[in-house]
Amino acid sequence: MKVFKTVRELKISLKKISSVKSSIGFVPTMGALHKGHLSLIEESKKNNDITIASIFINPTQFDKKGDLENYPRTLENDLILLKNIACDIVFTPSISELYNKSIVANSFDFDGLENNMEGSHRKGHFNGVGTIVKKLFEIVMPTNAYFGEKDFQQLQIIRKMVEKNHFPVTVVGCPTLREENGLAMSSRNKLLTKEEKQQASIIYEILNDVVKKTKSQSIEEIKEWVSNQFKNHPLFDLQYFIIAEEKTLKSVSIISQNKPQRAFIAVTIKNIRLIDNISIKH
Ligand code: AMP
């Protein structure tokens, strides 16, 4: 496994590779790796000649300084995990390597996909995501790029960016990996105590109950039920719960089987945000 810190070193290596290998799979991450990240790398390894992972905590996608400062950093362990699954190349650039002196995001128009959920609760978040993923795609020029459905809104936004920029990249969405109690794996889970992690199983339990309820209840009733689950909850605050169309991410008021729909939730615990989503299929 090769580890590169500079764009120059990575590009030299990629140039050599591209003369003999045909497909490059790419998995961008912010590190603090867990099995969810590793599943994306495994998927890439199955379908590409070479797999590249990047580890970069992107400052422009954080709207709160504290969140950026507290984000878990476990680079040494990340590299061991990546080596163990035989990732071919890891790119671990510094901030100045990718942003020069100006650490600012560009503005993107994702046709409204960015307007609700994470977009409305984390100001500028998706401009930051778009900025960094575009930079990374331009450097790595992957054949296939792998993103988790856990961040479903992000996945759809990346697809939109690829479409609008005519990038020759196939974006592959991968299923959410979960802890045994159903909690979606996340780097932020490292900031929770054992007890809090245990209690956080409520998020996925609620999503599963929501799917069941869509058979007999209206979306208004379901929303109220979800909101009641968190009222006076000793640990968690509900930030949002919506049911939206998968393609447009527009909130819906009626369950429909014609266009795929998903339930999305975000809760906070001690200022740590946990998000999850589930497909609604009957
Ligand atoms: P992050 O390091 O949080 O930016 O995540 C890097 C990639 O891993 C993103 O495409 C995430 O959607 C994906 N990812 C994060 N958690 C999971 C999970 N539990 N299952 C599958 N993919 C995930």
Side-chain angles (χ1 to χ4, degrees):
M1 184 177 85
K2 290 184 184 134
V3 182
F4 298 118
K5 287 188 178 147
T6 65
V7 175
R8 193 184 137 76
E9 285 170 305
L10 176 65
K11 280 196 168 172
I12 291 172
S13 176
L14 287 174
K15 204 169 174 195
K16 282 188 204 146
I17 289 164
S18 64
S19 58
V20 278
K21 308 271 187 189
S22 54
S23 61
I24 294 177
F26 180 45
V27 182
T29 81
M30 298 207 294
L33 300 184
H34 50 69
K35 286 186 187 145
H37 294 115
L38 300 183
S39 72
L40 306 189
I41 289 161
E42 303 275 15
E43 192 56 30
S44 168
K45 280 181 66 69
K46 271 194 249 159
N47 296 304
N48 298 278
D49 297 324
I50 285 281
T51 290
I52 303 178
S54 64
I55 298 179
F56 179 68
I57 302 181
N58 174 35
T60 63
Q61 70 186 68
F62 288 81
D63 63 335
K64 293 199 176 82
K65 209 168 155 238
D67 189 22
L68 174 60
E69 279 164 3
N70 291 334
Y71 200 84
R73 289 160 169 85
T74 60
L75 184 60
E76 221 173 289
N77 190 53
D78 291 348
L79 293 177
I80 294 170
L81 294 175
L82 291 172
K83 197 168 178 199
N84 286 346
I85 60 162
C87 181
D88 300 296
I89 294 179
V90 190
F91 183 41
T92 60
S94 63
I95 293 177
S96 59
E97 189 66 22
L98 293 185
Y99 280 99
N100 294 320
K101 283 188 185 119
S102 150
I103 309 174
V104 287
N106 299 319
S107 273
F108 290 84
D109 172 5
F110 299 114
D111 291 349
L113 291 173
E114 71 278 32
N115 287 343
N116 60 3
M117 301 192 278
E118 295 307 283
S120 56
H121 285 85
R122 302 178 69 188
K123 217 173 165 293
H125 173 64
F126 286 121
N127 280 333
V129 170
T131 302
I132 195 61
V133 175
K134 186 163 182 277
K135 278 179 197 277
L136 289 168
F137 278 4
E138 283 164 355
I139 296 166
V140 176
M141 294 200 285
T143 322
N144 299 298
Y146 296 80
F147 292 86
E149 286 183 349
K150 159 155 181 292
D151 302 285
F152 196 86
Q153 189 174 16
Q154 169 174 279
L155 169 65
Q156 298 300 58
I157 276 175
I158 305 291
R159 287 192 164 125
K160 181 63 75 180
M161 188 184 74
V162 163
E163 180 194 314
K164 286 196 156 191
N165 286 278
H166 310 286
F167 282 138
V169 184
T170 302
V171 175
V172 183
C174 301
T176 302
L177 257 76
R178 300 182 176 280
E179 304 288 349
E180 257 173 44
N181 70 357
L183 173 65
M185 288 181 178
S186 162
S187 302
R188 288 194 165 87
N189 294 353
K190 292 195 166 79
L191 303 172
L192 304 177
T193 64
K194 208 174 156 198
E195 167 68 16
E196 288 162 349
K197 253 192 239 170
Q198 211 45 51
Q199 298 258 346
S201 62
I202 185 180
I203 301 166
Y204 190 51
E205 279 159 22
I206 285 180
L207 286 180
N208 276 300
D209 285 345
V210 163
V211 174
K212 286 186 203 134
K213 284 177 188 294
T214 56
K215 289 180 187 148
S216 57
Q217 293 184 18
S218 72
I219 291 188
E220 267 325 297
E221 285 167 328
I222 295 172
K223 278 187 175 169
E224 199 181 328
W225 177 79
V226 173
S227 149
N228 284 337
Q229 302 307 300
F230 289 99
K231 255 184 206 146
N232 309 319
H233 193 285
L235 286 180
F236 301 107
D237 287 315
L238 178 65
Q239 204 164 65
Y240 62 76
F241 168 78
I242 73 163
I243 297 183
E245 221 179 75
E246 283 193 357
K247 192 156 192 295
T248 60
L249 298 182
K250 285 204 174 97
S251 167
V252 294
S253 51
I254 295 173
I255 295 294
S256 149
Q257 294 306 317
N258 300 335
K259 295 181 178 169
Q261 296 175 334
R262 237 165 225 270
F264 296 85
I265 192 166
V267 303
T268 56
I269 167 168
K270 304 183 303 195
N271 291 328
I272 302 161
R273 299 181 79 255
L274 301 176
I275 61 170
D276 204 346
N277 64 82
I278 196 165
S279 155
I280 293 173
K281 276 199 196 115
H282 295 158

XYZ file of all heavy atoms in Angstrom, residues 57-147:
726
model
N -9.869 15.619 6.397
C -10.962 16.283 7.120
C -11.121 17.654 6.479
O -10.254 18.524 6.634
C -10.659 16.368 8.622
C -10.447 14.943 9.169
C -11.800 17.067 9.358
C -10.168 14.867 10.649
N -12.213 17.800 5.741
C -12.394 18.984 4.897
C -12.965 20.154 5.695
O -14.157 20.143 6.039
C -13.334 18.605 3.747
C -13.692 19.808 2.909
O -12.867 20.703 2.721
N -14.921 19.833 2.418
N -12.152 21.176 5.969
C -12.635 22.251 6.864
C -13.847 22.990 6.316
O -14.692 23.436 7.099
C -11.428 23.196 6.975
C -10.532 22.857 5.834
C -10.791 21.419 5.484
N -13.969 23.107 4.981
C -15.046 23.962 4.449
C -16.433 23.332 4.547
O -17.428 23.979 4.243
C -14.782 24.382 2.981
O -14.774 23.202 2.176
C -13.463 25.120 2.838
N -16.518 22.057 4.939
C -17.863 21.484 5.067
C -18.361 21.487 6.507
O -19.443 20.993 6.793
C -17.922 20.080 4.468
C -17.178 19.005 5.250
C -17.167 17.691 4.490
O -16.537 17.567 3.447
N -17.898 16.708 4.994
N -17.571 22.073 7.411
C -17.991 22.189 8.811
C -18.494 23.607 9.052
O -17.793 24.572 8.751
C -16.816 21.919 9.752
C -16.414 20.466 9.803
C -15.613 19.918 8.819
C -16.849 19.651 10.843
C -15.247 18.575 8.867
C -16.495 18.311 10.889
C -15.687 17.775 9.900
N -19.702 23.733 9.583
C -20.190 25.079 9.870
C -19.882 25.488 11.304
O -20.019 26.647 11.668
C -21.692 25.208 9.557
C -22.549 24.294 10.423
O -22.033 23.260 10.891
O -23.730 24.605 10.625
N -19.456 24.519 12.123
C -19.154 24.863 13.523
C -17.710 24.502 13.825
O -17.278 23.372 13.580
C -20.080 24.094 14.475
C -21.530 24.510 14.360
C -22.315 24.082 15.611
C -23.738 24.566 15.548
N -24.609 23.692 14.742
N -16.988 25.500 14.359
C -15.565 25.299 14.651
C -15.358 24.114 15.609
O -14.453 23.294 15.431
C -15.007 26.591 15.265
C -13.545 26.799 14.973
C -13.103 28.214 15.349
C -11.626 28.186 15.632
N -11.268 28.637 16.956
N -16.244 24.027 16.602
C -16.110 22.968 17.616
C -16.248 21.584 17.005
O -15.543 20.645 17.382
N -17.166 21.460 16.041
C -17.396 20.173 15.376
C -16.129 19.746 14.631
O -15.702 18.589 14.695
C -18.584 20.326 14.410
C -19.045 18.999 13.837
O -18.762 17.946 14.457
O -19.686 19.007 12.766
N -15.512 20.712 13.948
C -14.273 20.422 13.205
C -13.148 20.034 14.179
O -12.434 19.056 13.965
C -13.874 21.660 12.379
C -12.533 21.607 11.656
C -12.487 20.460 10.654
C -12.270 22.929 10.906
N -13.043 20.805 15.254
C -11.965 20.523 16.224
C -12.141 19.161 16.898
O -11.175 18.448 17.142
C -11.923 21.617 17.303
C -11.182 22.847 16.813
C -11.454 24.067 17.693
O -12.158 23.956 18.710
O -10.953 25.149 17.314
N -13.417 18.811 17.174
C -13.672 17.547 17.892
C -13.705 16.327 16.988
O -13.827 15.209 17.474
C -15.031 17.608 18.609
C -14.990 18.575 19.759
O -13.919 18.820 20.303
N -16.128 19.141 20.106
N -13.685 16.546 15.667
C -13.831 15.410 14.756
C -12.714 14.396 15.047
O -11.545 14.773 15.149
C -13.779 15.872 13.291
C -14.398 14.845 12.377
C -15.763 14.810 12.176
C -13.611 13.864 11.765
C -16.348 13.834 11.376
C -14.186 12.897 10.974
C -15.556 12.885 10.777
O -16.122 11.910 10.003
N -13.061 13.109 15.219
C -12.024 12.149 15.607
C -10.922 11.999 14.552
O -11.203 11.993 13.353
C -12.796 10.831 15.778
C -14.151 11.053 15.244
C -14.396 12.514 15.112
N -9.703 11.921 15.028
C -8.546 11.765 14.124
C -7.754 10.540 14.562
O -7.213 10.527 15.668
C -7.674 13.023 14.185
C -8.326 14.233 13.525
C -7.701 15.530 14.005
N -8.137 16.670 13.191
C -9.253 17.368 13.371
N -10.083 17.049 14.348
N -9.545 18.395 12.581
N -7.698 9.524 13.696
C -7.040 8.263 14.080
C -6.183 7.751 12.912
O -6.278 6.582 12.540
C -8.095 7.196 14.459
O -8.952 6.974 13.318
C -8.967 7.627 15.628
N -5.378 8.645 12.352
C -4.679 8.322 11.095
C -3.851 7.035 11.160
O -3.924 6.202 10.244
C -3.794 9.504 10.661
C -3.092 9.305 9.318
C -4.088 9.094 8.187
C -2.180 10.486 8.991
N -3.112 6.886 12.263
C -2.235 5.703 12.347
C -3.043 4.412 12.228
O -2.709 3.521 11.457
C -1.530 5.731 13.702
C -0.068 5.318 13.619
C 0.593 5.539 14.958
O 0.801 6.707 15.340
O 0.845 4.529 15.641
N -4.133 4.353 13.001
C -4.988 3.166 12.968
C -5.680 3.022 11.607
O -5.831 1.912 11.083
C -6.028 3.253 14.092
C -6.763 1.952 14.260
O -6.145 0.905 14.410
N -8.079 2.001 14.184
N -6.077 4.141 11.012
C -6.729 4.101 9.689
C -5.815 3.419 8.678
O -6.253 2.585 7.875
C -7.035 5.517 9.178
C -8.119 6.214 9.983
O -8.792 5.537 10.783
O -8.285 7.433 9.814
N -4.526 3.777 8.731
C -3.587 3.222 7.749
C -3.408 1.717 7.966
O -3.295 0.958 6.999
C -2.240 3.957 7.814
C -2.301 5.437 7.369
C -0.950 6.108 7.522
C -2.810 5.581 5.938
N -3.460 1.291 9.228
C -3.359 -0.157 9.504
C -4.575 -0.879 8.903
O -4.452 -1.889 8.223
C -3.266 -0.421 11.030
C -1.942 0.146 11.560
C -3.376 -1.913 11.350
C -1.821 0.166 13.077
N -5.774 -0.304 9.140
C -7.004 -0.933 8.619
C -6.964 -1.021 7.092
O -7.339 -2.026 6.496
C -8.246 -0.126 9.043
C -8.565 -0.094 10.536
C -9.741 0.825 10.825
C -8.885 -1.506 11.033
N -6.486 0.048 6.473
C -6.447 0.067 5.003
C -5.423 -0.924 4.468
O -5.661 -1.585 3.454
C -6.136 1.486 4.506
C -7.264 2.498 4.748
C -6.805 3.907 4.417
C -8.496 2.133 3.925
N -4.313 -1.026 5.172
C -3.286 -1.987 4.747
C -3.827 -3.412 4.874
O -3.632 -4.244 3.985
C -2.037 -1.799 5.618
C -0.831 -2.435 4.993
C 0.444 -2.018 5.659
C 1.578 -2.780 4.971
N 2.775 -2.820 5.756
N -4.541 -3.667 5.966
C -5.092 -5.014 6.195
C -6.056 -5.462 5.104
O -6.188 -6.649 4.852
C -5.819 -5.085 7.545
C -4.844 -5.108 8.693
O -3.643 -5.328 8.478
N -5.324 -4.868 9.903
N -6.777 -4.499 4.501
C -7.690 -4.927 3.427
C -7.077 -4.675 2.055
O -7.764 -4.712 1.025
C -9.094 -4.297 3.519
C -9.022 -2.771 3.447
C -9.832 -4.718 4.770
C -10.384 -2.180 3.098
N -5.774 -4.407 2.053
C -5.014 -4.275 0.804
C -5.544 -3.165 -0.114
O -5.705 -3.365 -1.328
C -4.962 -5.612 0.074
N -5.836 -2.022 0.488
C -6.135 -0.835 -0.322
C -4.819 -0.500 -1.054
O -3.738 -0.652 -0.495
C -6.541 0.299 0.616
S -6.967 1.822 -0.215
N -4.904 -0.096 -2.315
C -3.661 0.087 -3.079
C -2.955 1.401 -2.750
O -1.748 1.437 -2.560
C -3.968 0.034 -4.582
C -4.574 -1.301 -4.961
O -3.869 -2.310 -4.824
O -5.764 -1.337 -5.341
N -3.751 2.482 -2.722
C -3.148 3.808 -2.516
C -3.991 4.586 -1.511
O -5.235 4.543 -1.569
C -3.090 4.590 -3.850
C -2.134 3.891 -4.828
C -2.669 6.040 -3.618
C -2.020 4.577 -6.181
N -3.326 5.298 -0.611
C -4.039 6.203 0.301
C -3.477 7.605 0.096
O -2.260 7.800 0.079
C -3.854 5.798 1.781
C -4.798 6.620 2.655
C -4.098 4.325 1.983
N -4.391 8.546 -0.061
C -4.004 9.947 -0.255
C -4.357 10.690 1.027
O -5.522 10.720 1.425
C -4.769 10.496 -1.459
C -4.435 11.916 -1.826
C -3.127 12.393 -1.806
C -5.451 12.791 -2.225
C -2.824 13.699 -2.157
C -5.155 14.101 -2.582
C -3.843 14.557 -2.536
N -3.345 11.265 1.690
C -3.577 11.952 2.971
C -3.014 13.385 2.893
O -2.008 13.700 3.534
C -2.879 11.205 4.137
O -1.470 11.178 3.855
C -3.364 9.792 4.294
N -3.659 14.223 2.090
C -3.102 15.573 1.904
C -3.295 16.474 3.122
O -4.195 16.243 3.935
C -3.915 16.108 0.721
C -5.223 15.408 0.837
C -4.934 14.044 1.392
N -2.459 17.517 3.213
C -2.673 18.549 4.231
C -3.708 19.535 3.681
O -4.038 19.502 2.484
C -1.367 19.295 4.493
O -0.983 19.946 3.297
N -4.173 20.447 4.540
C -5.169 21.431 4.083
C -4.558 22.320 2.990
O -5.174 22.559 1.942
C -5.666 22.285 5.275
C -6.453 21.396 6.245
C -6.540 23.447 4.795
C -6.932 22.084 7.497
N -3.315 22.751 3.189
C -2.718 23.675 2.209
C -2.480 22.982 0.871
O -2.497 23.619 -0.181
C -1.416 24.265 2.749
O -0.525 23.221 3.028
N -2.325 21.673 0.905
C -2.111 20.927 -0.352
C -3.349 21.037 -1.256
O -3.238 21.111 -2.466
C -1.830 19.460 0.004
C -1.379 18.596 -1.147
C -0.017 18.991 -1.714
O 0.773 19.644 -1.012
O 0.239 18.648 -2.885
N -4.524 21.062 -0.643
C -5.745 21.104 -1.457
C -6.344 22.500 -1.597
O -7.067 22.776 -2.543
C -6.802 20.150 -0.884
C -6.461 18.660 -0.974
C -7.619 17.814 -0.504
C -6.102 18.258 -2.401
N -6.056 23.380 -0.635
C -6.701 24.701 -0.683
C -5.736 25.862 -0.905
O -6.165 27.003 -0.930
C -7.466 24.942 0.628
C -8.810 24.247 0.680
C -8.977 23.041 1.343
C -9.924 24.801 0.056
C -10.207 22.401 1.400
C -11.169 24.180 0.108
C -11.303 22.984 0.786
O -12.530 22.361 0.839
N -4.468 25.610 -1.046
C -3.482 26.695 -1.071
C -3.710 27.596 0.128
O -3.849 27.116 1.231
C -3.539 27.470 -2.389
C -3.094 26.579 -3.537
O -2.150 25.813 -3.381
N -3.782 26.662 -4.650
N -3.852 28.933 -0.143
C -4.008 29.826 1.021
C -5.461 30.136 1.332
O -5.789 30.609 2.404
C -3.236 31.137 0.752
C -1.751 30.923 0.948
C -0.974 32.229 0.886
C 0.498 31.933 0.963
N 1.239 32.367 -0.212
N -6.320 29.867 0.372
C -7.695 30.320 0.549
C -8.610 29.138 0.889
O -9.020 28.383 0.007
C -8.088 31.044 -0.744
O -9.411 30.937 -0.982
N -8.914 29.038 2.194
C -9.719 27.884 2.633
C -11.194 28.273 2.548
O -11.841 28.546 3.565
C -9.322 27.442 4.056
C -7.809 27.253 4.117
C -10.038 26.148 4.451
C -7.277 26.949 5.489
N -11.688 28.372 1.331
C -13.106 28.719 1.142
C -13.740 27.755 0.147
O -13.061 27.176 -0.700
C -13.300 30.170 0.607
C -13.014 31.205 1.663
C -12.477 30.407 -0.628
N -15.064 27.637 0.285
C -15.800 26.752 -0.620
C -16.303 27.525 -1.819
O -16.564 28.730 -1.724
C -16.973 26.135 0.131
N -16.437 26.851 -2.932
C -17.123 27.450 -4.088
C -18.627 27.270 -3.897
O -19.055 26.446 -3.083
C -16.686 26.747 -5.376
C -15.195 26.896 -5.594
O -14.631 27.965 -5.364
N -14.544 25.817 -6.004
N -19.389 28.038 -4.694
C -20.849 27.909 -4.608
C -21.357 26.965 -5.683
O -20.911 27.053 -6.825
C -21.494 29.264 -4.835
O -21.560 29.921 -3.615
N -22.264 26.101 -5.308
C -22.815 25.138 -6.266
C -24.327 25.254 -6.322
O -24.967 25.647 -5.345
C -22.471 23.708 -5.835
C -21.019 23.360 -5.960
C -20.123 23.686 -4.950
C -20.533 22.708 -7.084
C -18.781 23.365 -5.055
C -19.190 22.384 -7.198
C -18.317 22.713 -6.190
N -24.855 24.871 -7.469
C -26.302 24.762 -7.598
C -26.595 23.284 -7.849
O -26.229 22.735 -8.895
C -26.767 25.615 -8.793
C -28.233 25.407 -9.109
O -28.907 24.676 -8.355
O -28.702 25.960 -10.122
N -27.189 22.641 -6.864
C -27.490 21.211 -7.013
C -28.977 21.008 -7.319
O -29.576 20.018 -6.882
C -27.105 20.459 -5.732
C -25.635 20.530 -5.380
C -25.207 21.191 -4.239
C -24.679 19.920 -6.178
C -23.864 21.244 -3.892
C -23.333 19.965 -5.849
C -22.920 20.633 -4.709
N -29.563 21.958 -8.000
C -30.976 21.890 -8.386
C -31.906 21.659 -7.190
O -32.882 20.897 -7.290
C -31.207 20.775 -9.427
C -30.582 21.115 -10.766
O -30.158 22.267 -10.954
O -30.520 20.206 -11.629
N -31.574 22.257 -6.069
C -32.471 22.180 -4.909
C -32.209 21.001 -3.984
O -32.759 20.949 -2.879
N -31.369 20.060 -4.396
C -31.103 18.900 -3.519
C -30.480 19.340 -2.204
O -30.536 18.634 -1.208
C -30.127 17.928 -4.214
C -30.639 17.163 -5.422
C -29.512 16.386 -6.075
C -31.747 16.213 -4.998
N -29.853 20.516 -2.246
C -29.098 20.992 -1.082
C -29.952 21.798 -0.102
O -29.456 22.238 0.930
C -27.914 21.865 -1.559
C -28.270 23.240 -2.142
C -28.690 23.216 -3.613
O -29.296 22.213 -4.052
O -28.456 24.211 -4.311
N -31.239 21.988 -0.450
C -32.000 22.972 0.326
C -32.509 22.520 1.685
O -32.671 23.320 2.584
C -33.178 23.502 -0.498
C -32.678 24.425 -1.584
O -31.538 24.887 -1.517
N -33.492 24.666 -2.597
N -32.823 21.217 1.819
C -33.405 20.816 3.118
C -32.444 19.922 3.900
O -31.264 19.793 3.552
C -34.771 20.132 2.901
C -34.642 18.897 2.034
O -33.551 18.520 1.635
N -35.757 18.257 1.751
N -32.913 19.325 4.922
C -32.155 18.392 5.784
C -30.770 18.931 6.139
O -30.656 19.991 6.739
C -32.083 17.023 5.094
C -33.465 16.453 4.841
S -33.446 14.745 4.357
C -33.082 14.838 2.626
N -29.702 18.198 5.773
C -28.356 18.639 6.165
C -28.058 20.033 5.616
O -27.361 20.825 6.249
C -27.306 17.649 5.640
C -27.401 16.277 6.252
C -27.378 16.323 7.764
O -26.294 16.512 8.327
O -28.453 16.172 8.389
N -28.580 20.315 4.421
C -28.324 21.611 3.792
C -28.877 22.760 4.608
O -28.231 23.805 4.753
N -30.077 22.575 5.184
C -30.656 23.688 5.931
C -30.161 23.734 7.376
O -30.222 24.771 8.022
C -32.187 23.645 5.880
O -32.636 22.411 6.344
N -29.672 22.604 7.892
C -29.198 22.601 9.285
C -27.703 22.840 9.414
O -27.207 23.077 10.507
C -29.583 21.293 9.982
C -31.039 21.247 10.321
N -32.003 20.839 9.430
C -31.691 21.600 11.450
C -33.185 20.923 10.008
N -33.029 21.384 11.222
N -26.976 22.713 8.320
C -25.523 22.947 8.367
C -25.178 23.906 7.239
O -24.955 23.503 6.097
C -24.766 21.620 8.188
C -25.122 20.593 9.230
C -24.386 19.303 8.986
N -22.961 19.429 9.235
C -22.075 18.468 8.951
N -22.472 17.345 8.390
N -20.797 18.637 9.218
N -25.128 25.180 7.583
C -24.966 26.229 6.570
C -23.694 26.030 5.745
O -22.612 25.876 6.311
C -24.920 27.588 7.281
C -25.607 28.660 6.511
C -25.693 29.946 7.325
C -26.055 31.091 6.427
N -25.035 31.433 5.469
N -23.839 26.003 4.427
C -22.663 25.910 3.549
C -22.067 24.516 3.448
O -21.097 24.298 2.729
N -22.677 23.557 4.155
C -22.103 22.208 4.204
C -21.885 21.614 2.808
O -20.796 21.131 2.479
C -23.026 21.307 5.031
C -22.644 19.865 5.019
N -21.457 19.417 5.560
C -23.267 18.755 4.520
C -21.372 18.098 5.403
N -22.451 17.681 4.778
N -22.916 21.668 1.972
C -22.792 20.992 0.679
C -21.933 21.768 -0.320
O -21.394 21.172 -1.249
C -24.176 20.652 0.107
C -24.807 19.498 0.852
C -26.026 19.643 1.488
C -24.153 18.282 0.947
C -26.583 18.582 2.188
C -24.700 17.215 1.647
C -25.925 17.364 2.269
N -21.788 23.076 -0.130
C -20.792 23.790 -0.943
C -19.398 23.266 -0.593
O -18.545 23.093 -1.467
C -20.856 25.298 -0.701
C -21.996 25.936 -1.476
O -22.408 25.423 -2.512
N -22.500 27.050 -0.975
N -19.177 23.008 0.694
C -17.890 22.446 1.134
C -17.667 21.052 0.572
O -16.587 20.733 0.072
N -18.717 20.240 0.632
C -18.608 18.870 0.110
C -18.344 18.912 -1.399
O -17.447 18.234 -1.917
C -19.910 18.066 0.412
C -19.915 16.740 -0.335
C -20.069 17.842 1.911
N -19.123 19.737 -2.100
C -18.948 19.846 -3.559
C -17.541 20.303 -3.912
O -16.901 19.764 -4.827
N -17.048 21.279 -3.178
C -15.710 21.831 -3.445
C -14.647 20.748 -3.311
O -13.810 20.563 -4.202
C -15.401 22.984 -2.459
O -16.418 23.973 -2.606
C -14.036 23.595 -2.705
N -14.698 19.999 -2.232
C -13.624 19.026 -1.998
C -13.749 17.817 -2.927
O -12.746 17.321 -3.458
C -13.551 18.598 -0.497
C -12.225 17.911 -0.223
C -14.675 17.707 -0.072
C -11.028 18.755 -0.457
N -14.974 17.360 -3.146
C -15.118 16.169 -4.003
C -14.726 16.521 -5.442
O -14.069 15.742 -6.126
C -16.538 15.570 -3.898
C -16.718 14.421 -4.882
C -16.804 15.072 -2.475
N -15.069 17.734 -5.875
C -14.676 18.159 -7.237
C -13.146 18.195 -7.339
O -12.563 17.671 -8.288
C -15.298 19.528 -7.527
C -15.097 20.007 -8.945
C -16.081 21.123 -9.259
C -15.938 21.596 -10.696
N -14.862 22.574 -10.866
N -12.502 18.801 -6.337
C -11.027 18.864 -6.353
C -10.447 17.446 -6.422
O -9.531 17.174 -7.195
C -10.504 19.518 -5.053
C -10.526 21.043 -5.026
C -9.990 21.517 -3.650
C -10.344 22.961 -3.338
N -9.458 23.951 -3.904
N -10.981 16.561 -5.577
C -10.427 15.197 -5.513
C -10.673 14.437 -6.822
O -9.794 13.728 -7.305
C -11.015 14.434 -4.320
C -10.532 14.910 -2.945
C -11.373 14.300 -1.822
C -9.053 14.569 -2.718
N -11.864 14.607 -7.394
C -12.157 13.937 -8.675
C -11.194 14.437 -9.763
O -10.739 13.668 -10.597
C -13.601 14.203 -9.119
C -14.634 13.304 -8.471
C -14.283 12.383 -7.495
C -15.974 13.379 -8.852
C -15.235 11.555 -6.903
C -16.933 12.558 -8.277
C -16.575 11.646 -7.299
N -10.919 15.752 -9.741
C -10.026 16.300 -10.773
C -8.594 15.774 -10.612
O -7.872 15.625 -11.587
C -10.069 17.832 -10.742
C -11.354 18.344 -11.398
C -11.687 19.807 -11.087
O -10.985 20.430 -10.275
O -12.682 20.301 -11.657
N -8.205 15.483 -9.386
C -6.847 14.955 -9.153
C -6.801 13.456 -9.476
O -5.952 12.987 -10.219
C -6.419 15.174 -7.674
C -6.321 16.674 -7.368
C -5.091 14.474 -7.380
C -6.250 16.989 -5.868
N -7.744 12.709 -8.912
C -7.697 11.235 -9.011
C -8.241 10.739 -10.354
O -7.793 9.726 -10.885
C -8.505 10.598 -7.834
C -8.563 9.095 -7.949
C -7.904 11.012 -6.485
N -9.190 11.446 -10.920
C -9.897 11.057 -12.141
C -10.322 9.581 -12.098
O -9.885 8.755 -12.916
C -9.025 11.349 -13.354
C -8.813 12.840 -13.525
S -8.316 13.330 -15.149
C -6.633 12.825 -15.138
N -11.154 9.243 -11.106
C -11.539 7.827 -10.949
C -12.492 7.352 -12.034
O -13.197 8.164 -12.654
C -12.237 7.813 -9.590
C -12.777 9.188 -9.415
C -11.836 10.119 -10.128
N -12.521 6.047 -12.234
C -13.523 5.449 -13.120
C -14.829 5.322 -12.327
O -15.909 5.631 -12.822
C -13.063 4.017 -13.518
O -11.660 4.012 -13.715
C -13.794 3.525 -14.743
N -14.707 4.840 -11.090
C -15.862 4.655 -10.211
C -15.561 5.299 -8.851
O -14.426 5.206 -8.373
C -16.111 3.155 -9.961
C -16.415 2.410 -11.255
O -17.400 2.702 -11.924
N -15.554 1.478 -11.621
N -16.569 5.936 -8.271
C -16.365 6.525 -6.936
C -17.477 6.021 -6.022
O -18.642 5.939 -6.428
C -16.391 8.042 -7.007
N -17.121 5.680 -4.798
C -18.019 4.970 -3.889
C -18.426 5.869 -2.723
O -17.568 6.459 -2.060
C -17.322 3.698 -3.387
C -17.063 2.753 -4.545
C -15.962 2.953 -5.393
C -17.947 1.727 -4.851
C -15.743 2.145 -6.489
C -17.739 0.909 -5.949
C -16.641 1.120 -6.760
O -16.443 0.315 -7.861
N -19.739 5.954 -2.507
C -20.277 6.786 -1.422
C -21.352 5.989 -0.683
O -22.053 5.180 -1.286
C -20.889 8.081 -1.987
C -19.868 9.013 -2.570
C -19.451 8.867 -3.881
C -19.287 10.009 -1.800
C -18.485 9.713 -4.417
C -18.318 10.850 -2.325
C -17.919 10.702 -3.632
